[in-house]
Amino acid sequence: MKKMNTHEIQEALKNLSGWALKDDMIQKSFIFADFKEAFSIMTHIAFECEKQNHHPNWENVYNSLTIKLSTHDADGITQKDIDLAKSIEKIVG
Ligand code: H2B
């Protein structure tokens, strides 16, 4: 899949609240009530990632979750990252 340029990424991010381009990845941090809620959402996201065959770099510390998306195969950001970010937004609600 074709790597997006910075302008294309910024345009796509206008429809994704809280996601920002940083270090060649699109990123967002979430805070949940506690670890159980964070991990439960991560499990839900993980199944969606498997469905899309597209996987995040992420870090969970107790109730916080930081998700960073890029397409390793394209060495940049592609529509796959935008689509996964949209799915994550739906899951987190
Ligand atoms: N996830 C992400 N984030 N980037 C990729 O390039 C990627 C992936 N490639 N998940 C997939 C898996 C690929 O390695 C497999 C072989 O389809």
Side-chain angles (χ1 to χ4, degrees):
M1 185 170 273
K2 191 183 150 287
K3 186 172 153 172
M4 298 165 81
N5 66 37
T6 306
H7 176 71
E8 289 168 331
I9 297 164
Q10 295 295 4
E11 283 300 306
L13 289 184
K14 286 181 184 169
N15 301 313
L16 278 166
S17 170
W19 288 83
L21 176 62
K22 197 179 164 206
D23 302 331
D24 291 326
M25 304 190 110
I26 57 168
Q27 313 193 1
K28 182 170 177 177
S29 293
F30 300 88
I31 300 288
F32 300 102
D34 52 25
F35 177 73
K36 199 167 86 176
E37 190 179 314
F39 203 84
S40 162
I41 294 269
M42 289 171 75
T43 304
H44 195 150
I45 293 170
F47 278 97
E48 182 59 30
C49 293
E50 275 298 286
K51 217 190 273 179
Q52 296 185 19
N53 189 31
H54 201 61
H55 303 88
N57 290 18
W58 57 7
E59 183 181 40
N60 161 236
V61 180
Y62 179 51
N63 65 338
S64 75
L65 173 63
T66 299
I67 302 180
K68 303 178 181 186
L69 303 176
S70 73
T71 304
H72 314 141
D73 296 342
D75 196 26
I77 292 158
T78 67
Q79 188 62 42
K80 285 186 181 181
D81 301 299
I82 304 299
D83 293 345
L84 181 55
K86 283 182 184 160
S87 299
I88 290 169
E89 285 300 305
K90 277 193 195 139
I91 291 166
V92 175

